[in-house]
Amino acid sequence: MLMTVLDGSIVTVAMPAIQNDLGFSPAGLSWVVNAYLIAFGSLLLLSGRLGDLLGRKRMFLAGTAVFTGASILAGFAASPAVLTAARFLQGLGSAMASAVGLGILITLFTGPRERAKAIAVFSFTGAAGASLGQVLGGVLTDALDWHWIFFINLPIGLAALLLALPALPADRGLGLAAGADVLGAVLVTAGLMLGIYTVVEVEQYGWVSAHTLGLGALAAVLLGAFTLRQAKARTPLVPLRIFRSRTVVGANLVQMLMVAALFSFQILVALYLQKVLGYGAAATGLAMLPAALVIGAVSLGVSARLNARFGERNVLLAGLGLLALALGLLTRLPVRADYVTDLLPVMLLAAGFGLALPALTTLGMSGADDRDAGLASGLFNTTQQIGMALGVAVLSTLAASRTQSATRAGSTPAEALTSGYHLAFAIGAALLLAAVALAAALLRADVSRETSAGR
């Protein structure tokens, strides 16, 4: 799981090297990220349900194998087309494995304390993987070359497969007869794929272009048709009963806002370090390392105990508050920032993610029983990817627009870029405050306490 999450961010600091080596156009380069994101985000829901029907272990092993094979193809890619296709296949493998990961955990660990610890480890892999990807991407690109950001997945993937075979218990699944809704599968996959594609292309076409509005409307029609289909189908692919839980729905909405906001931290801070302060790829990765360390320490060291003592909702609110404070501080970054005084405090406040994600994951999976565990896992990961896509589209577009305006007004390139990043950080902080309000309104249950009382 660490490998699949890490791969979503490991390419970010290697993008200039990839462009120079393979001859990507500026617009084409974005597809190194977009191809992965579209496949990953659009196939999670389907993969999660198929895991329930065909067996979650089988889906996890198949996804890990597809991802590992696609990584080899990406490492040997000698043209933009091959690398883009390999990234799409990596996204497919990631979706297959990631969609059932949480489902496997909640069926293996049924006691509240054990489940809290397992989810804390799982959340750590997601939070740390995103940050460590930038560190490893920079180090591998500078020390070797960009091909190794993909080759590194081969030994990890093989080890994961060899360990998973004996470690994960076999499960036969419910069988396709319990939910083999082919039409529903086509509608939801096409709708999500088209919707995510539309969002990631906003920066090129604009929000009110015929391309964006037309494809966005078509995606909405497909997803609306899918919802109607699930309400009437005898064996729905996604039983709508999962949306009856206010806690599950609220947790997914909060996650979407949080992930969209934190794009400005994960990506735009790295761009600020390179484009404004002049850091190299490895230096950028190392500068982001404290954030990964504090997230890991909090996720693994204290989050489970805090959730048990204070409840997931309260811990989530505290974590979101710390993250909002971090982005608020970033709105004050100067053009010539000092790392220790201007950036290190922000990296340390990223500990809020280590508090928020385990609590949010527990809440997001709280309404799932064994028959829907893969579906709930796929849904939770899908909202994460949609939030990421929206963060990329909205915040990067606003930052670029502000940068252009500042440039026309006579600002230096560094000043103009910093101004654009300031706006994105401010919007990200506002999204986190909205997430706080939503969590306070919808997430009233303390899952670990309820589970303990029920036992």
Side-chain angles (χ1 to χ4, degrees):
M1 290 304 302
L2 177 68
M3 177 180 67
T4 59
V5 173
L6 181 149
D7 213 73
S9 62
I10 197 171
V11 301
T12 54
V13 294
M15 297 277 273
I18 292 173
Q19 183 177 20
N20 293 335
D21 192 17
L22 296 187
F24 272 97
S25 66
L29 185 63
S30 65
W31 282 96
V32 176
V33 174
N34 291 347
Y36 183 88
L37 184 61
I38 290 172
F40 193 6
S42 61
L43 293 169
L44 278 163
L45 203 58
L46 174 60
S47 297
R49 188 53 177 168
L50 287 177
D52 290 332
L53 301 178
L54 301 176
R56 287 182 282 273
K57 178 178 181 177
R58 186 180 302 169
M59 183 65 68
F60 181 84
L61 293 174
T64 303
V66 169
F67 178 87
T68 304
S71 297
I72 299 173
L73 179 62
F76 283 113
S79 69
V82 173
L83 182 57
T84 301
R87 289 289 287 164
F88 187 90
L89 290 174
Q90 280 188 305
L92 168 63
S94 290
M96 294 169 66
S98 301
V100 296
L102 273 174
I104 290 173
L105 281 188
I106 69 167
T107 54
L108 285 179
F109 300 94
T110 54
R113 288 191 177 184
E114 292 77 13
R115 181 177 291 184
K117 291 179 181 178
I119 287 179
V121 174
F122 184 90
S123 300
F124 163 73
T125 68
S131 300
L132 288 174
Q134 294 177 319
V135 178
L136 288 178
V139 171
L140 289 173
T141 300
D142 279 359
L144 300 169
D145 61 49
W146 65 265
H147 299 275
W148 285 92
I149 68 176
F150 301 114
F151 288 143
I152 194 67
N153 292 330
L154 177 59
I156 302 174
L158 291 176
L161 288 170
L162 292 174
L163 290 170
L165 281 169
L168 298 182
D171 58 316
R172 300 182 60 182
L174 301 173
L176 289 177
D181 180 13
V182 177
L183 177 58
V186 172
L187 288 171
V188 70
T189 303
L192 286 172
M193 191 169 291
L194 187 59
I196 295 173
Y197 166 78
T198 303
V199 170
V200 299
E201 288 288 275
V202 161
E203 188 173 0
Q204 179 177 349
Y205 291 97
W207 286 101
V208 295
S209 66
H211 179 277
T212 299
L213 295 177
L215 293 184
L218 180 56
V221 169
L222 289 171
L223 293 175
F226 166 73
T227 303
L228 293 175
R229 169 71 180 176
Q230 299 313 286
K232 298 179 179 180
R234 185 174 62 86
T235 56
L237 181 73
V238 179
L240 298 182
R241 62 177 176 266
I242 197 170
F243 297 107
R244 293 174 186 165
S245 169
R246 186 174 69 174
T247 300
V248 170
V249 172
N252 279 278
L253 292 175
V254 169
Q255 180 183 225
M256 193 180 300
L257 290 172
M258 181 179 74
V259 172
L262 291 182
F263 162 78
S264 63
F265 176 84
Q266 180 184 338
I267 304 298
L268 296 185
V269 169
L271 290 175
Y272 168 82
L273 289 169
Q274 294 187 66
K275 293 188 174 183
V276 177
L277 299 187
Y279 282 34
T284 298
L286 292 174
M288 303 288 286
L289 184 59
L293 294 177
V294 296
I295 289 171
V298 172
S299 295
L300 296 176
V302 299
S303 64
R305 293 197 296 271
L306 291 176
N307 285 335
R309 181 171 181 180
F310 299 106
E312 288 82 4
R313 174 182 178 272
N314 293 328
V315 174
L316 171 62
L317 292 173
L320 291 173
L322 289 176
L323 293 172
L325 177 59
L327 292 188
L329 291 176
L330 287 173
T331 63
R332 302 170 58 86
L333 277 180
V335 174
R336 295 179 179 84
D338 177 75
Y339 180 80
V340 173
T341 58
D342 294 318
L343 285 163
L344 184 58
V346 174
M347 301 297 170
L348 298 179
L349 286 171
F353 197 49
L355 292 176
L357 191 58
L360 196 55
T361 303
T362 302
L363 292 165
M365 296 297 293
S366 62
D369 54 24
D370 286 355
R371 59 180 175 167
D372 293 330
L375 172 60
S377 175
L379 175 64
F380 193 74
N381 282 285
T382 298
T383 59
Q384 187 176 88
Q385 296 305 309
I386 292 173
M388 187 180 300
L390 288 171
V392 170
V394 175
L395 297 180
S396 62
T397 301
L398 291 173
S401 177
R402 170 65 68 86
T403 297
Q404 291 173 0
S405 298
T407 300
R408 287 194 296 267
S411 298
T412 66
E415 291 171 343
L417 285 169
T418 303
S419 176
Y421 298 148
H422 282 172
L423 176 61
F425 295 144
I427 299 297
L431 290 175
L432 287 169
L433 292 177
V436 169
L438 196 62
L442 295 180
L443 305 180
R444 297 178 182 172
D446 291 332
V447 174
S448 59
R449 292 177 177 179
E450 287 185 354
T451 305
S452 298
R455 291 172 65 85

